[in-house]
Each structure stands twice: as structure tokens, then as C-alpha cells.
Amino acid sequence: MLRSEPISTGFYVPERVIGNEELSQWMDTSDEWIRQRSGIVERRWVDGGVGSSDLAKEAAEQALNRAGLQASDLDCIILATLSPDVYFPGSGVFLQRKLGIKNIPCLDVRNQCSGFIYGLSIADAWIRTGQYKRILLVGTEVQSTGLVLTSDGRDTAVLFGDGAGAMILGPTEDGDRGVLSVNIHADGRHAEKLWMEAPGSRYKPWLVAEQIEKGLTRPYMEGREVFKHAVVKMPSAVKEALEANGLTLEDVDYVIPHQANARITQGVAKSLGLPEEKVISNIHKYGNTTAASIPIALHEAVEDGRIKRGSLVCLTAFGSGFTWGAALIRW
Ligand code: UT7
């Protein structure tokens, strides 16, 4: 049976480190509040003039190097982001251009924190059907430039970071390896609980000064509501993935949840009855990098040898939409 398998991974974060103390210069917050509520110690922010496709290029080149491939070997790009370089076209085409290639299809996925899992679902399906053989899947975000760096924006400004993570996927007929399944979900009843309202086509014109003044162009989140759903939906998606494959939690080597909050990650571990070391967390270093958080954590775990050939890894995400899902991969 033809399956997709990860061939390599890559990641990139900007050099500029923003510690919690630095944030407290601009807004009424503290290292103690941020650490206690989220587990974040620092995050990486771009210096300006840099878009999500720029970070994606760095992560993609690392993944290409790890795989011993050239950009010209790719036959498809899937890019997940909530922070595209421009409103349209998608960042995928800018990434394609920056990699020096042309003609191959570029798809942007707009499923925020679940974007990488949604993108993986598409990549997996395309490879299984034989449509494409070398797909570059990237989750990439430049969120810092959209945050409000005053006390008014502190509820979200302290949480989000910039970064990119990449995976190259190809076909395998090795029955023991590869992407075993991807299950994705959405519930649009909760769309306004984590969103950015403007600009948008329901306004005429799409962007006016009043929207900025009213704060509609910054992310808005009902943190507690999102938290409550995240700690339920991610464990349920993990269990669904295992059941679909006739596997149990005992078979799992690592769960990699979307990195939204260290307390959410701990809640996922507790709900699944897994020891915390089996549920990967790196939010202290990067904050919430939305679509990039899972591939960055995955890359780090592969690089440091925690994930190795034969490891059973479950990726799971939850976020804006609400959207969520899980992917089970035999490495
Ligand atoms: O990636 C997408 C998915 N996102 C998530 O999963 C995030 C889910 N939610 C969370 O992680 C948490 O809800 C937060 C970390 C966002 C917030 O933690 P919380 O324990 O739910 O705090 P809260 O929102 O209930 O706020 C508690 C207090 C409030 O003050 P009052 O009303 O109690 O006086 C806030 O105004 O903390 C205040 N606050 C802050 N204080 C210092 C909010 N932001 C800050 C801040 N610094 N940055």
C-alpha cells in the first residue's frame, strides 16, 4: 500500500530573542505572570521587513539539505500560515520564487494553529493517490508585527512568536512506516472566540482607520474558552487516531501537541495518562508560533534523537475556528 512518509524536517527562528522582561517595558505584564500562565520564557521576533515566506525559505532549505534534495526536486508546496506576507496571493508562491523554482503548484492553508495538521492531511492524500511525489509542507508565522505592544494588547502580545518548521514528504511502500492517518475537525460555532476581525470582505472598503482604532486588526482571544476546548479536543483527537489504527497509548513514543501554553500541554499529558516527558514541549523558548509550532518541536525532537526510526509519533493541534486534529506517524 502506498503511504506518505516524512523524508526530512527543517526549522528556522529569527535571531532576535525577546525575553519576558523586555515585554514588561512596553506593557503592564511581568515575567512571573507570563511564566505561570503560559510557561513562556522567551520568543523570537523578526526585525521588520521580513515576511512569513522568508522564514519558510530558511526552514525549507534546511529540510532540503537534510534530505539531500534540490528545490527543483519538489513537485508541490503546501504552506500553512495565519500571517501571509500580503493579503493575496498566498505566501506559497513567494516561497516558491525564493527557492528559485517555478511551475509546481503552491497551496496556502489557512487553519491557524491546526494549519500544519490540515496541510499534512492534504500532502498525505496527494501522495497516496500518486498525484505528487515530493511535497514541501511548511508552517510559518511572522506574528510579532501584528501584535499590539501596549497594555491593551498584553493578553495576546506576550504569547505569540515568529518561526517556521518544514517537512518534506514522499511516497513509501514500506508497510511499517510513514503517515498512518490524519484526522481533522472543525466547529465554526466558535469562530469569534479566537479571531482577527479586520480587514475583511464584509467591510467596504476592506480596511479603514476605524477598524484599527477599534482594535479589530489585532488578534482577539477568549483565552479561558480556548483553553477549555484545547485540553479536551487534542486528547480526543489523539485517541481517535490510535483507535483508527488499532493502536493504544502504550504504543506511542511521543505526542507533539501544538504549543499554545505549557499548561495546556500538561493538561493533554494528564488527560491521556502519559508521563510529561512523552508530551513534547518547547514553548518556553519560542512562545506560540501557531502553524509553525508542531514542525519546529518535531524537528528538534528528531535532531536530538528522541524521535528515531521506528518511533510512533502523534501530532495534535487545536486552535482558531475552532479547528483541531491529529496525525499518527511511524518514523
Ligand atoms: O494557539 C491558539 C490556541 N490558544 C490557546 O490555546 C490559548 C488558550 N488560553 C490560554 O492559554 C490562557 O487562557 C491565557 C494564557 C491566554 C491566559 O491565562 P488565564 O489564566 O486564562 O488568564 P485570564 O485571561 O483569565 O486573565 C487573568 C488576569 C486578568 O486580570 P483580571 O481580570 O483577573 O484582573 C487579565 O487582565 O490576567 C490579566 N492579564 C495579564 N496580566 C499580566 C491578561 N494578560 C496579562 C498579561 N500580563 N500579559
Side-chain angles (χ1 to χ4, degrees), residues 5 10 35 39 70 74 81 96 99 101 125 128 130 159 173 195-196 199-200 210 215 221 223 228 299 302 317 319:
E5 68 164 346
R35 276 183 203 240
Q70 306 293 320
L74 299 171
T81 190
Q96 183 209 51
L99 290 173
I101 47 178
R128 279 175 191 257
L159 301 175
E173 289 189 37
W195 71 331
M196 201 177 91
E210 195 190 349
M221 175 166 68
K228 274 194 309 199
H299 175 83
V302 170

Side-chain angles (χ1 to χ4, degrees), residues 228-250:
K228 274 194 309 199
H229 284 264
V231 292
V232 173
K233 297 288 196 311
M234 284 196 279
S236 98
V238 170
K239 287 180 189 160
E240 182 188 19
L242 290 167
E243 273 165 29
N245 292 282
L247 295 163
T248 70
L249 282 160
E250 278 164 24

Side-chain angles (χ1 to χ4, degrees), residues 1-320:
M1 189 179 71
L2 194 64
R3 276 205 183 114
S4 70
E5 68 164 346
I7 299 172
S8 68
T9 58
F11 101 124
Y12 179 77
V13 288
E15 279 177 22
R16 187 170 159 225
V17 179
I18 306 286
N20 292 343
E21 291 296 350
E22 203 168 337
L23 291 173
S24 59
Q25 295 170 20
W26 304 316
M27 61 192 84
D28 181 15
T29 190
S30 64
D31 177 50
E32 191 193 1
W33 191 97
I34 301 169
R35 276 183 203 240
Q36 273 182 6
R37 304 283 174 144
S38 72
I40 299 167
V41 176
E42 58 189 37
R43 72 285 292 141
R44 304 298 185 95
W45 283 0
V46 300
D47 269 321
V50 172
S52 50
S53 71
D54 294 301
L55 307 193
K57 173 182 178 274
E58 302 294 332
E61 285 181 342
Q62 193 180 59
L64 286 166
N65 284 339
R66 294 279 194 282
L69 294 171
Q70 306 293 320
S72 55
D73 295 321
L74 299 171
D75 56 12
C76 178
I77 292 174
I78 302 175
L79 184 147
T81 190
L82 67 65
S83 50
D85 297 35
V86 295
Y87 198 87
F88 73 82
S91 290
V93 295
F94 293 109
L95 172 60
Q96 183 209 51
R97 201 164 80 183
K98 284 169 187 166
L99 290 173
I101 47 178
K102 51 187 177 188
N103 292 331
I104 66 166
C106 299
L107 173 70
D108 269 44
V109 173
R110 291 198 53 189
N111 288 79
Q112 298 69 245
C113 306
S114 310
F116 192 80
I117 302 282
Y118 267 72
L120 184 58
S121 166
I122 301 162
D124 179 53
W126 274 343
I127 287 173
R128 279 175 191 257
T129 58
Q131 179 119 4
Y132 301 111
K133 288 193 167 56
R134 287 282 178 272
I135 298 183
L136 169 63
L137 170 63
V138 192
T140 182
E141 305 287 0
V142 172
Q143 308 188 92
S144 57
T145 46
L147 300 171
V148 173
L149 300 184
T150 64
S151 294
D152 200 30
R154 68 179 182 173
D155 58 331
T156 46
V158 303
L159 301 175
F160 293 101
D162 303 338
M167 180 187 277
I168 296 173
L169 293 114
T172 178
E173 289 189 37
D174 179 344
D176 292 332
R177 303 184 55 205
V179 177
L180 305 185
S181 64
V182 189
N183 45 298
I184 47 177
H185 300 278
D187 186 348
R189 288 176 301 171
H190 304 283
E192 289 85 1
K193 289 181 180 145
L194 175 48
W195 71 331
M196 201 177 91
E197 198 179 337
S201 56
R202 68 184 188 184
Y203 297 104
K204 194 177 173 184
W206 292 3
L207 180 61
V208 289
E210 195 190 349
Q211 292 164 338
I212 300 171
E213 282 152 24
K214 284 185 172 168
L216 306 187
T217 56
R218 45 159 286 204
Y220 167 80
M221 175 166 68
E222 288 179 33
R224 290 197 174 188
E225 271 298 295
V226 178
F227 193 111
K228 274 194 309 199
H229 284 264
V231 292
V232 173
K233 297 288 196 311
M234 284 196 279
S236 98
V238 170
K239 287 180 189 160
E240 182 188 19
L242 290 167
E243 273 165 29
N245 292 282
L247 295 163
T248 70
L249 282 160
E250 278 164 24
D251 298 310
V252 175
D253 292 294
Y254 289 101
V255 171
I256 305 185
H258 163 54
Q259 306 287 304
N261 185 322
R263 289 189 296 138
I264 293 178
T265 300
Q266 286 154 6
V268 169
K270 194 169 164 206
S271 166
L272 292 172
L274 288 174
E276 279 185 22
E277 60 273 15
K278 278 197 162 194
V279 184
I280 289 175
S281 175
N282 65 2
I283 194 166
H284 54 288
K285 293 189 285 187
Y286 308 123
N288 179 348
T289 57
T290 305
S293 90
I294 290 176
I296 291 176
L298 177 64
H299 175 83
E300 287 192 334
V302 170
E303 284 291 291
D304 67 22
R306 276 175 291 171
I307 294 175
K308 42 190 173 291
R309 195 172 173 127
S311 297
L312 185 68
V313 184
C314 190
L315 316 178
T316 184
F318 176 83
S320 168

